[in-house]
Amino acid sequence: GALFVARPTGAQERAAAAVYRIAPDGASASRVIARFGRTGAREIEIEGDLAEGDEIVTSDVPGAESAPTIRLR
């Protein structure tokens, strides 16, 4: 089955973009490249390095565009 997530701002079908995968403890998130597949109005298919059960930040993170890790509150 396909893996779909809430569509991040600016995500485009068949493109790749950086997203932040939330650590198991929920205290931080690490930058990973997500490859997107099919898209809908609110969701987009994830292909590649993310797996079912991974939680990602789908909203903009001001000032963290290239930070390898961010702390979450």
Side-chain angles (χ1 to χ4, degrees):
L3 176 63
F4 285 84
V5 299
R7 187 175 178 180
T9 303
Q12 296 182 0
E13 189 171 310
R14 306 286 176 216
V19 297
Y20 286 92
R21 179 176 26 212
I22 301 173
D25 66 5
S28 63
S30 299
R31 188 175 187 261
V32 296
I33 300 299
R35 291 190 314 271
F36 301 123
R38 298 172 291 165
T39 185
R42 295 185 184 166
E43 295 182 327
I44 194 161
E45 182 181 20
I46 297 290
E47 300 174 336
D49 296 334
L50 295 172
E52 185 173 352
D54 284 346
E55 293 185 89
I56 63 171
V57 176
T58 58
S59 59
D60 285 335
V61 182
E65 292 79 15
S66 62
T69 304
I70 56 173
R71 289 184 5 176
L72 304 174
R73 296 180 194 188

